[in-house]
């Protein structure tokens, strides 16, 4: 599965890239919202893992942009924002799934497969 990871945390991003690659996925990593938007405009992905607290363009702004372009790529939000209102807002804006940090890689992989 081709995955676009949009995550600004270096340690978490490199760990996710390694773990997802070992799980058989091909991972492109964008480190801010604008880089993620450009990646989505230039390449097709099977899924997006999206952090919300991104520099240059927030995760929710990015999600709004890609859904406004009728991009149906499945988006899994992976964030530290764990309030019910945050989860509802993310899902209502077009995310397909929502996970909070900290998380288990095995659960993230299962959600991507689903």
């Amino acid at each position: 599965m081709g995955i676009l990871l949009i995550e600004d945390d270096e340690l978490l991003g490199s760990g996710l890239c390694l773990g997802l690659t070992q799980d058989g996925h091909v991972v492109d990593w964008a480190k801010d919202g604008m880089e993620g938007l450009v990646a989505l405009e230039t390449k097709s992905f099977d899924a997006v893992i999206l952090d919300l607290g991104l520099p240059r363009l927030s995760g929710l702004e990015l999600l709004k942009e890609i859904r406004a372009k009728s991009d149906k790529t499945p988006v899994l939000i992976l964030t530290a924002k764990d309030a019910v209102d945050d989860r509802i807002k993310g899902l209502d804006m077009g995310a397909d799934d929502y996970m909070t940090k900290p998380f288990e890689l095995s659960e993230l992989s299962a959600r991507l497969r689903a």
Side-chain angles (χ1 to χ4, degrees):
M1 180 181 309
I3 297 172
L4 175 61
L5 171 64
I6 309 173
E7 170 63 60
D8 63 320
D9 182 278
E10 287 286 332
L11 186 59
L12 179 58
S14 62
L16 277 169
C17 284
L18 179 62
L20 292 169
T21 300
Q22 288 176 343
D23 203 25
H25 302 290
V26 176
V27 182
D28 287 19
W29 180 15
K31 297 179 182 176
D32 67 50
M34 288 303 297
E35 191 178 326
L37 184 60
V38 169
L40 284 164
E41 290 173 344
T42 57
K43 189 174 176 182
S44 178
F45 297 93
D46 297 308
V48 175
I49 299 173
L50 177 64
D51 183 25
L52 295 183
L54 298 168
R56 299 198 326 155
L57 183 67
S58 79
L60 286 179
E61 290 169 338
L62 174 58
L63 181 59
K64 183 178 177 182
E65 287 282 327
I66 63 176
R67 292 304 187 230
K69 295 177 181 180
S70 298
D71 185 334
K72 303 286 187 202
T73 305
V75 174
L76 184 152
I77 292 175
L78 183 63
T79 183
K81 294 185 177 191
D82 62 354
V84 172
D85 288 343
D86 292 324
R87 294 192 305 259
I88 291 169
K89 186 174 184 178
L91 293 167
D92 282 348
M93 289 187 70
D96 297 280
D97 202 353
Y98 195 110
M99 286 183 68
T100 57
K101 300 172 187 173
F103 63 96
E104 291 293 329
L105 184 59
S106 58
E107 180 182 2
L108 175 64
S109 293
R111 288 175 183 245
L112 287 169
R113 288 190 303 271

